[in-house]
Amino acid sequence: GPYLLAAALGEPDETAEGPLLEIRGRLVDMLDGDLPVRRHVSLRAGEQAWLLDLDRVPGEAAVLAASGRVDAESATSGSLGFRLAGPAGTPAVIRLRLPAVPVLARAGDESLVWEWEAETKTALLRHENQAEVIAYQLTWRAGAAEPMP
């Protein structure tokens, strides 16, 4: 599958020079609450990583990772919709793969700002979880060069 679990074995040693394990690629760091895309991950003795390898994820439009439970995911040629449930008052952070830059992102009736990463064709959404399940909807058009939040 697209996930990579890694651990640098051994006892942590503050005098050791350099990492024991280096991983390169286009990787979503699943253990970082901001779900960043990293090009390089270095692990020292005693450290672990849970990574999503974007080059091994099939499809053009999908929720890649989220800080909540995703269901009812549905993609068309110009949109992606899904529902997200998470603990009320906590941040909802969502990393998405899209075929083109979004032109609109909504959580319920609220318009959202997104971060677009052109190289990986991923968008990052941030919103606050509510007590109820929230429906998200993103739309895009081919050829859009810049994000228009």
Side-chain angles (χ1 to χ4, degrees):
Y3 294 100
L4 175 62
L5 298 173
L9 302 178
E11 293 295 320
D13 181 359
E14 293 180 13
T15 63
E17 290 186 31
L20 292 177
L21 179 61
E22 294 192 35
I23 305 164
R24 296 186 188 282
R26 299 179 327 149
L27 311 160
V28 176
D29 187 339
M30 302 293 285
L31 296 178
D32 185 321
D34 289 325
L35 299 174
V37 176
R38 302 196 189 282
R39 304 315 189 268
H40 179 254
V41 174
S42 297
L43 299 178
R44 295 185 181 277
E47 294 180 336
Q48 300 85 32
W50 177 21
L51 307 167
L52 175 63
D53 185 344
L54 293 174
D55 294 326
R56 297 184 66 172
V57 176
E60 288 192 340
V63 177
L64 297 173
S67 61
R69 187 185 76 235
V70 174
D71 68 8
E73 187 174 347
S74 176
T76 68
S77 62
S79 70
L80 174 67
F82 59 93
R83 297 180 334 152
L84 182 92
T90 63
V93 181
I94 309 156
R95 175 70 63 184
L96 308 145
R97 167 165 286 162
L98 302 173
V101 64
V103 294
L104 178 67
R106 299 185 71 74
D109 294 332
E110 184 180 341
S111 292
L112 300 178
V113 175
W114 59 86
E115 297 171 31
W116 176 249
E117 186 170 303
E119 181 194 340
T120 60
K121 291 190 173 182
T122 63
L124 186 70
L125 297 179
R126 295 175 192 277
H127 190 251
E128 186 166 315
N129 284 315
Q130 308 295 319
E132 67 278 348
V133 175
I134 298 173
Y136 288 78
Q137 185 72 32
L138 288 95
T139 57
W140 59 85
R141 68 174 189 267
E146 296 296 323
M148 295 178 273

